[in-house]
Amino acid sequence: MVQISYMHNLNPNQEKAVQCKDNLLIVAGAGTGKTKTIVSKICHYIDQGLVLPNQIMATTFTNKATHEMKKRLESHLGHFASMISIGTFHRISLNIVQTHEKLLGFENIQVLSYDDQLQLIRKIMSHMKFKDSRPSQILELIQRAKEKGTFGDLNPAERDIGEIYQKRLKEMNAMDFADLLVNAIKLWKNNPSVLAQYKEQYKLICVDEYQDINEVQHEWLKLICGKENQLCCVGDPDQAIYSFRGSNIKYILGFGEEFKNSQRIILDQNYRSTDKIIKSANSLIKFNKNRIDKELLPNSVSDRKVDVFVAIHEKEESSEICKIIAQEKEKNPDASVAILFRTSAQMDSMEESLLNANIKYSIVGSIQLLDRAEIKDAVSYIRFLANPNDFMAFSRLIQSPKRGIGKTTIDKIESSPGASVKDKIDNSGLNESTNNKLKEILDQFDSWKSSPLPFSKLAKKIIEESGLFEASEPPRQENLNRWLESVGEFEGAEEYANYVLWSNIKSDDDKDVQLMTVHAAKGLEFDIVFLPGWEEGLFPHIRSRANTEEERRLAYVALTRARSYLAISYAQSRMQHGKYMSTTPSRFLKELDSKNSTFQSFKHKKNGNKVFHDIFGHGIVEETGVHHAQVKFGNVVKIVPLNSLAKR
């Protein structure tokens, strides 16, 4: 049945874990081959006749992890791999509730997608005229409440929405993701014979990412596990980073007490990163107290230390990172590169620098600045200003903001003869009211085209006078303001329109630089990793002050994504509310292994020139970056644009 040697290249601890026949917790550090170990254990149990393939259940944290495990098992077991129950908790629970749906009072259960769930919540909130929270926030609260088994922690309005939501789901004969686990538990508790059937069915239960399970998943596992089967959980408390989703590290830390006569095996041989990276990660995570003591052992040695850079401000930080990326790519074009952020809000400055440096990039789990709907709307105005024949731009801007001109009218204009949009409108035979609206818009463009304002100020004038800015919600207004900051270097509409045209030619090539949050990077690895924004308030984040240990675990995850080169950076000042504010380096920087890291400035120029600023007066330049300078005005140090200084 087994096609190739599943025991090949296992280290002693991995081999011990594969052969263990007790309940087992495998504490698998980053890059220690946990998936290989789980797959080998499953193959070993089948090969030794301890279980049949259909007597194995393996739960994963993501659909991607499910696919990877299935693929590896197929390479060893062939078609027998399809007999193993592999999937996320939600996927396996769906199979269970569908099999016994009549016992739960359902028939032909449908599972609502996230978008459908959100749409249902949105309708309920609209009907109730509830506007205190976003629909996505309410949905998240309801999901967490259902997993806890009560709406008791919700406020009265949220509770009402939750109850109506559940009633609507029932009427639709539908469940959401949280319902799948909750109803599987309900089924087992109310029908002991059904639970006994599943306990008898599955002789080996493997659970991946055990550090990330939540309360309802834990209850689910406790019900199905017993004397009839063996439990093998794999996880790393040092990588528990999802408490905001309800995960609780206590379950992996208390495994030995909860499951008596169990074993614990630590996988500590790292096959991913260099010794300098591993030693820095070990040094950092040792400051946590709530953990299982272990120290990763590197498998590869390198002379290259972890670089820690300091920049004057985030624009210099971003531009200097781009320079290093260019240098690294020149040496090794095939190297995979990632820039990992604590929050997605930090990406804008980096995105702008990558665009300016003509470096291809992709954003994982987010939307690029130029791909955001409100930015596309703004750009459509600039494109039409540059080219009055650009009907695609016109058809977008005419509906942003809403003007009572719909698809039927736009289609009629498009099908009318004429080279320019104005000609098409004139030949479309529209009614007087619609014609007047369109004339008013075209007159606005004539006015903007003749404006003597610099392009950056003209762009601001356009999004304000068009009504686009006022019609946008506050988060989108913030994005529009960021976009306005990025257009300052362009001379006019035509130059910017051409820039956008070529910037939008994107590639899905794996060689693109990958931008993502550290949370999104969990489970991934890259040759080269950059970690910008290591400042107090950002990393650790100000909203996570009460959970510094989880923030440190998140930093540990970030460090251990790198294979060969790791660069961490922080800025001495960062733009907040329209002005530069001084920052404090992250406490985590002090916790790195100083013997294996190098602290240095980006290439600042120290010149001591005497200068004059219109607001701050006379000063002495301490350091200059790409676009800004650090200047001492009397006893006060400020970060100011270089073009705001005059030499004295």
Side-chain angles (χ1 to χ4, degrees):
M1 185 184 292
V2 180
Q3 300 296 314
I4 59 176
S5 176
Y6 53 84
M7 300 294 281
H8 183 61
N9 284 338
L10 292 178
N11 66 39
N13 280 7
Q14 289 174 327
E15 190 170 328
K16 186 179 176 183
V18 167
Q19 296 176 340
C20 176
K21 293 182 178 62
D22 297 319
N23 286 335
L24 174 64
L25 174 64
I26 302 174
V27 181
T32 58
K34 64 165 183 157
T35 304
K36 177 181 175 66
T37 305
I38 299 173
V39 168
S40 296
K41 186 175 184 70
I42 291 172
C43 291
H44 178 72
Y45 267 55
I46 294 172
D47 190 45
Q48 296 297 306
L50 300 172
V51 296
L52 296 173
N54 66 347
Q55 294 176 319
I56 300 172
M57 176 192 292
T59 71
T60 61
F61 195 64
T62 64
N63 292 323
K64 181 180 178 183
T66 297
H67 176 74
E68 176 64 22
M69 188 176 292
K70 283 182 177 179
K71 185 177 176 182
R72 293 201 194 189
L73 283 167
E74 284 169 2
S75 70
H76 292 282
L77 302 173
H79 70 276
F80 290 104
S82 63
M83 300 170 65
I84 301 171
S85 295
I86 307 174
T88 63
F89 278 100
H90 295 107
R91 181 63 201 174
I92 292 174
S93 294
L94 172 60
N95 293 338
I96 293 168
V97 299
Q98 283 181 330
T99 301
H100 306 280
E101 59 182 14
K102 290 185 179 179
L103 290 175
L104 291 165
F106 285 84
E107 189 172 349
N108 297 322
I109 294 171
Q110 64 166 317
V111 179
L112 289 194
S113 68
Y114 178 77
D115 286 343
D116 288 340
Q117 296 168 35
L118 205 57
Q119 183 64 21
L120 181 54
I121 290 289
R122 196 175 283 118
K123 287 181 179 178
I124 295 169
M125 290 174 63
S126 176
H127 181 74
M128 294 177 60
K129 295 182 170 54
F130 182 82
K131 299 180 180 179
D132 292 351
S133 302
R134 295 197 304 271
S136 58
Q137 292 174 320
I138 295 296
L139 180 58
E140 180 71 17
L141 288 172
I142 292 171
Q143 295 280 329
R144 297 287 82 83
K146 287 201 286 189
E147 289 173 352
K148 290 181 179 179
T150 176
F151 285 163
D153 292 337
L154 303 180
N155 67 40
E158 293 165 350
R159 195 179 309 126
D160 288 344
I161 295 171
E163 289 172 353
I164 295 171
Y165 173 71
Q166 282 305 110
K167 183 181 178 183
R168 296 281 175 83
L169 286 178
K170 182 63 176 171
E171 290 170 353
M172 297 164 63
N173 206 50
M175 294 183 188
D176 62 17
F177 300 128
D179 286 327
L180 296 174
L181 276 81
V182 170
N183 279 300
I185 290 170
K186 180 181 176 182
L187 171 75
W188 286 340
K189 284 184 173 180
N190 294 340
N191 302 274
S193 61
V194 175
L195 175 59
Q197 173 188 330
Y198 282 95
K199 281 189 170 186
E200 179 65 25
Q201 170 72 33
Y202 294 109
K203 302 298 184 185
L204 175 64
I205 299 173
C206 298
V207 182
D208 193 13
E209 304 288 5
Y210 190 66
Q211 78 279 353
D212 291 323
I213 68 166
N214 58 30
E215 188 174 341
V216 71
Q217 291 165 340
H218 176 259
E219 185 179 4
W220 190 98
L221 272 177
K222 285 288 286 182
L223 283 169
I224 198 173
C225 291
K227 295 178 181 179
E228 302 89 345
N229 45 42
Q230 291 176 23
L231 177 64
C232 174
C233 294
V234 186
D236 181 9
D238 289 339
Q239 298 184 72
I241 59 174
Y242 291 108
S243 66
F244 66 93
R245 292 183 184 171
S247 301
N248 198 322
I249 194 175
K250 73 178 183 181
Y251 298 123
I252 190 170
L253 295 178
F255 184 89
E257 294 180 8
E258 189 169 16
F259 298 96
K260 304 297 182 184
N261 301 316
S262 62
Q263 291 193 42
R264 183 172 77 189
I265 296 173
I266 294 177
L267 303 185
D268 53 11
Q269 184 68 56
N270 178 278
Y271 297 98
R272 177 186 299 161
S273 309
T274 67
D275 57 328
K276 305 296 189 294
I277 295 170
I278 291 302
K279 288 176 181 178
S280 293
N282 285 337
S283 175
L284 173 76
I285 202 62
K286 281 181 179 178
F287 283 84
N288 272 6
K289 296 179 180 178
N290 207 22
R291 62 188 296 261
I292 295 173
D293 188 42
K294 72 175 187 305
E295 185 167 297
L296 292 181
L297 305 173
N299 199 50
S300 64
V301 178
S302 171
D303 293 331
R304 197 168 193 184
K305 294 184 176 182
V306 174
D307 280 331
V308 181
F309 292 107
V310 55
I312 293 181
H313 45 75
E314 78 266 30
K315 286 187 178 292
E316 183 188 49
E317 180 184 43
S318 299
S319 61
E320 291 294 334
I321 286 174
C322 288
K323 290 178 183 178
I324 298 174
I325 290 172
Q327 293 166 3
E328 294 295 327
K329 280 290 195 178
E330 188 173 345
K331 289 187 287 186
N332 182 6
D334 294 328
S336 57
V337 181
I339 308 173
L340 309 182
F341 304 85
R342 175 58 184 85
T343 69
S344 57
Q346 296 171 248
M347 294 184 189
D348 291 330
S349 177
M350 182 61 66
E351 192 178 347
E352 182 182 343
S353 294
L354 288 164
L355 283 170
N356 291 337
N358 198 28
I359 295 174
K360 290 183 178 180
Y361 68 94
S362 300
I363 295 182
V364 178
S366 186
I367 303 173
Q368 299 188 29
L369 185 63
L370 290 174
D371 284 339
R372 294 184 172 102
E374 62 274 17
I375 306 304
K376 286 185 175 182
D377 292 340
V379 169
S380 68
Y381 280 87
I382 305 305
R383 285 172 51 192
F384 189 69
L385 187 69
N387 178 13
N389 298 334
D390 189 339
F391 189 84
M392 295 300 292
F394 178 79
S395 64
R396 185 177 187 103
L397 71 87
I398 203 66
Q399 299 179 88
S400 304
K402 299 295 183 184
R403 297 180 170 90
I405 298 175
K407 185 177 183 300
T408 302
T409 301
I410 293 169
D411 289 345
K412 189 171 184 180
I413 296 171
E414 184 177 18
S415 62
S416 299
S420 69
V421 171
K422 185 179 184 305
D423 291 340
K424 285 178 174 291
I425 292 171
D426 290 340
N427 296 325
S428 59
L430 299 171
N431 62 51
E432 185 177 354
S433 175
T434 303
N435 265 321
N436 288 339
K437 289 179 184 177
L438 294 168
K439 183 179 184 303
E440 184 178 340
I441 295 166
L442 293 178
D443 287 344
Q444 271 190 312
F445 273 95
D446 289 340
S447 172
W448 294 330
K449 201 167 186 68
S450 60
S451 172
L453 289 172
F455 178 62
S456 60
K457 291 184 178 180
L458 176 59
K460 185 173 187 294
K461 181 183 176 72
I462 289 171
I463 68 167
E464 287 177 350
E465 291 185 355
S466 66
L468 180 61
F469 189 84
E470 184 179 356
S472 300
E473 297 176 354
R476 297 192 171 201
Q477 289 181 346
E478 290 177 15
N479 289 334
L480 286 168
N481 281 328
R482 293 192 191 103
W483 173 73
L484 285 172
E485 291 175 7
S486 73
V487 304
E489 63 187 275
F490 296 93
E491 294 294 327
E494 287 187 20
E495 182 187 354
Y496 185 75
N498 282 325
Y499 164 76
V500 170
L501 172 66
W502 293 107
S503 296
N504 274 332
I505 299 177
K506 296 184 176 69
S507 167
D508 293 329
D509 196 331
D510 289 339
K511 296 177 184 178
D512 287 1
V513 174
Q514 304 289 304
L515 275 64
M516 68 189 79
T517 64
V518 182
H519 283 102
K522 179 75 165 61
L524 304 179
E525 56 186 78
F526 307 90
D527 295 320
I528 299 165
V529 172
F530 295 90
L531 306 175
W534 276 44
E535 300 138 28
E536 288 294 310
L538 268 182
F539 211 169
H541 200 275
I542 191 169
R543 291 198 302 268
S544 301
R545 284 176 173 171
N547 201 350
T548 301
E549 289 213 349
E550 177 150 335
E551 287 291 293
R552 189 177 285 110
R553 291 194 292 267
L554 191 59
Y556 174 81
V557 167
L559 293 175
T560 54
R561 299 310 95 195
R563 294 192 193 106
S564 58
Y565 176 61
L566 174 65
I568 306 170
S569 58
Y570 68 96
Q572 293 174 326
S573 65
R574 196 166 290 275
M575 184 71 76
Q576 297 178 33
H577 309 298
K579 60 182 179 180
Y580 279 99
M581 305 291 289
S582 296
T583 67
T584 303
S586 170
R587 69 193 72 180
F588 298 152
L589 294 172
K590 299 176 184 177
E591 298 170 3
L592 299 175
D593 183 358
S594 59
K595 294 180 181 178
N596 291 286
S597 53
T598 302
F599 287 73
Q600 57 190 303
S601 295
F602 285 123
K603 297 177 182 179
H604 297 160
K605 301 172 186 176
K606 300 189 177 185
N607 55 29
N609 285 342
K610 294 181 179 180
V611 293
F612 180 81
H613 190 277
D614 287 342
I615 297 175
F616 304 116
H618 294 278
I620 297 176
V621 177
E622 294 185 337
E623 291 182 334
T624 60
V626 180
H627 302 294
H628 291 72
Q630 180 173 300
V631 184
K632 189 171 185 178
F633 299 99
N635 294 323
V636 179
V637 176
K638 296 284 186 181
I639 306 295
V640 294
L642 286 173
N643 60 13
S644 70
L645 299 173
K647 288 187 177 181
R648 286 290 183 268

